[in-house]
């Protein structure tokens, strides 16, 4: 009696993504839902934590730099630093209405978009590691949960599209942290320090201020994404 209920709930999602495999139907999607619930709990946990202002600023700068470096289509609305009474800092973004994190404009599974997402979400933690040698507070765990969801999705798509490429994709996933850090290292440490001090002092950059900073420091011209694109193509272009 359990099976029809599960099918009924998940049918719209399965039809959209054309999933037919029983493992995907009854194991993969429920696991994703559980991960999202866990992520939600962690988001609420942010409200109870505070940390060093500059470290948080550096964490958010990592996300901002990654958005620019991987040419993510998001429009950055603001960057907020909020440590008062356990406030939540973040990079506010608006995606195009027709954008899907997993599906390309032709309606096909997009591993490239999944990898872009992994780099963007991992970048806060990676920037902390670049600057301090390690990452702390709940944000890294939040990033890890999101990365796990994206990785699981990517592996599943790889199995569906071309199982022979799974090994290449897993090897690529194992290098995501290094690739992300290499992207962030394209920005001079003195620039990162200056921007972190600015954000620590001002606490909020609106969309226009973000755009001015991107232009002033050339964050829209970071060369590391070309290298990352080559790695992506090596692993998945032939899928």
């Amino acid at each position: 009696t359990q099976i029809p209920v599960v099918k009924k709930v998940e049918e719209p999602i399965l039809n959209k993504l054309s999933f037919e495999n029983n493992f995907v139907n009854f194991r993969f999607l429920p696991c994703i839902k559980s991960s999202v619930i866990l992520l939600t709990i962690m988001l609420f946990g942010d409200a109870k934590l505070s940390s060093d202002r500059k470290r948080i600023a550096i964490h958010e700068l990592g996300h901002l730099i990654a958005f620019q470096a991987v040419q993510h289509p998001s429009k950055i609305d603001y960057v907020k630093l909020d440590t008062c009474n356990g406030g939540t800092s973040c990079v506010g973004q608006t995606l195009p209405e027709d954008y899907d994190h997993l599906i390309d404009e032709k309606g096909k599974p997009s591993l490239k978009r999944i990898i872009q997402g992994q780099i963007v979400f991992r970048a806060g933690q990676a920037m902390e590691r670049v600057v301090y040698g390690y990452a702390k507070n709940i944000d890294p765990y939040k990033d890890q949960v999101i990365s796990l969801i994206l990785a699981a999705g990517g592996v599943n798509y790889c199995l569906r599209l071309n199982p022979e490429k799974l090994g290449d994709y897993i090897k690529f996933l194992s290098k995501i942290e290094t690739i992300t850090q290499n992207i962030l290292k394209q920005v001079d440490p003195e620039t990162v320090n200056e921007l972190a001090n600015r954000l620590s002092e001002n606490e909020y950059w609106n969309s226009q201020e973000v755009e001015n900073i991107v232009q002033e420091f050339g964050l829209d011209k970071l060369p590391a994404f070309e290298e990352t694109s080559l790695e992506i193509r090596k692993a998945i272009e032939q899928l």
Side-chain angles (χ1 to χ4, degrees), residues 22-40:
N22 285 335
F23 171 79
V24 176
N25 294 2
F26 303 110
R27 295 292 183 269
F28 177 70
L29 289 176
C31 287
I32 289 296
K33 292 175 183 176
S34 299
S35 298
V36 170
I37 292 172
L38 177 60
L39 176 60
T40 302

Side-chain angles (χ1 to χ4, degrees), residues 5-179:
V5 176
V6 174
K7 278 189 174 181
K8 183 177 180 181
V9 171
E10 296 176 352
E11 188 175 4
I13 301 176
L14 300 178
N15 288 341
K16 177 182 178 182
L17 300 180
S18 299
F19 286 148
E20 299 174 354
N21 187 279
N22 285 335
F23 171 79
V24 176
N25 294 2
F26 303 110
R27 295 292 183 269
F28 177 70
L29 289 176
C31 287
I32 289 296
K33 292 175 183 176
S34 299
S35 298
V36 170
I37 292 172
L38 177 60
L39 176 60
T40 302
I41 294 172
M42 290 182 171
L43 285 169
F44 280 109
D46 263 350
K48 298 183 179 180
L49 293 179
S50 62
S51 185
D52 176 73
R53 291 174 61 82
K54 189 168 182 179
R55 176 183 281 272
I56 296 176
I58 284 173
H59 183 103
E60 299 307 329
L61 283 173
H63 291 303
L64 176 60
I65 291 168
F67 271 116
Q68 302 300 323
V70 303
Q71 301 173 11
H72 201 279
S74 292
K75 174 183 178 294
I76 304 301
D77 300 314
Y78 61 85
V79 179
K80 180 178 70 171
L81 182 65
D82 184 4
T83 58
C84 297
N85 299 319
T88 301
S89 304
C90 65
V91 176
Q93 56 160 321
T94 301
L95 281 164
E97 291 184 2
D98 59 346
Y99 186 83
D100 190 306
H101 289 284
L102 305 178
I103 308 297
D104 64 21
E105 60 277 359
K106 297 180 180 179
K108 296 182 179 180
S110 173
L111 289 174
K112 182 173 183 178
R113 289 192 179 187
I114 291 172
I115 292 170
Q116 282 181 318
Q118 286 188 0
I119 291 173
V120 167
F121 283 116
R122 188 183 295 266
Q125 179 184 7
M127 180 59 92
E128 287 189 55
R129 287 199 175 111
V130 169
V131 175
Y132 297 103
Y134 68 100
K136 73 172 187 177
N137 120 18
I138 201 167
D139 286 330
Y141 297 103
K142 186 165 56 182
D143 287 344
Q144 287 171 9
V145 171
I146 295 173
S147 294
L148 178 61
I149 293 173
L150 293 172
V155 168
N156 181 71
Y157 287 142
C158 194
L159 281 171
R160 180 174 176 77
L161 296 173
N162 191 336
E164 295 179 0
K165 289 290 181 177
L166 180 60
D168 290 337
Y169 182 69
I170 291 176
K171 290 176 184 178
F172 180 79
L173 285 180
S174 69
K175 297 191 291 183
I176 281 286
E177 174 70 21
T178 300
I179 290 171

